[in-house]
Amino acid sequence: MATMAVETKTKPTDPRTGLQAKDRVKIAKALETVLADTYTLLVKTHVYHWNVVGPLFLPVHHLTEEHYNDLFKAADLIAERIRALGKPAPVSFEALLPKASVDEEASNRSARGMVQQLISDHENIVVSLREAALACEEADDLVTTDLLTQRMAFHEKAVWMLRATAGD
Ligand SMILES: [Fe+2]
């Protein structure tokens, strides 16, 4: 399989914001995974919003609506940060999806199963966000660190609210 050369040299059109060219490449790549995870979880959350049944219907239906709205807004901020780093945003969902660390499968049929799956996805995303945030801080990219920290806060709160909804 052909591999694409990674451009790490500064070009005249690159943003001159004090970040190293090689760091902008690495950070944009990490943000692609964050974006892929955000979209994958957005779709899964929406699917569960539609299909949930049983006694937990109303709280799960409402909470998932709150969450997919947040995830949609976040996807825009993440993609725009990739652009601000001087890199192109992904051009298709097909290209983006394989970069996700969470599974797209939304096959749970019970409300508890859906909630457990969402908890697990939010937890996994926080773990990879923390790793990415620390790498950004190391590269002096405080703006991306701040964005990723805010995303961690959202996902950690989501874990708490989903657990509370399930009565765990
Ligand atoms: Fe709805």
Side-chain angles (χ1 to χ4, degrees), residues 43-78:
V43 172
K44 192 185 286 187
T45 300
H46 219 158
V47 168
Y48 287 164
H49 170 79
W50 297 323
N51 289 322
V52 64
V53 292
L56 283 177
F57 170 79
L58 215 50
V60 171
H61 188 69
H62 286 157
L63 189 56
T64 48
E65 179 168 350
E66 201 181 294
H67 288 173
Y68 70 65
N69 283 328
D70 181 288
L71 290 160
F72 185 74
K73 284 185 201 145
D76 190 48
L77 297 177
I78 296 158

Side-chain angles (χ1 to χ4, degrees), residues 127-158:
V127 172
S128 74
L129 281 169
R130 179 173 296 106
E131 203 176 301
L134 291 171
C136 290
E137 197 173 33
E138 183 94 354
D140 297 336
D141 184 353
L142 303 182
V143 175
T144 307
T145 306
D146 181 52
L147 173 61
L148 297 180
T149 305
Q150 287 181 46
R151 295 317 304 149
M152 286 173 70
F154 162 75
H155 290 286
E156 289 193 6
K157 187 174 177 184

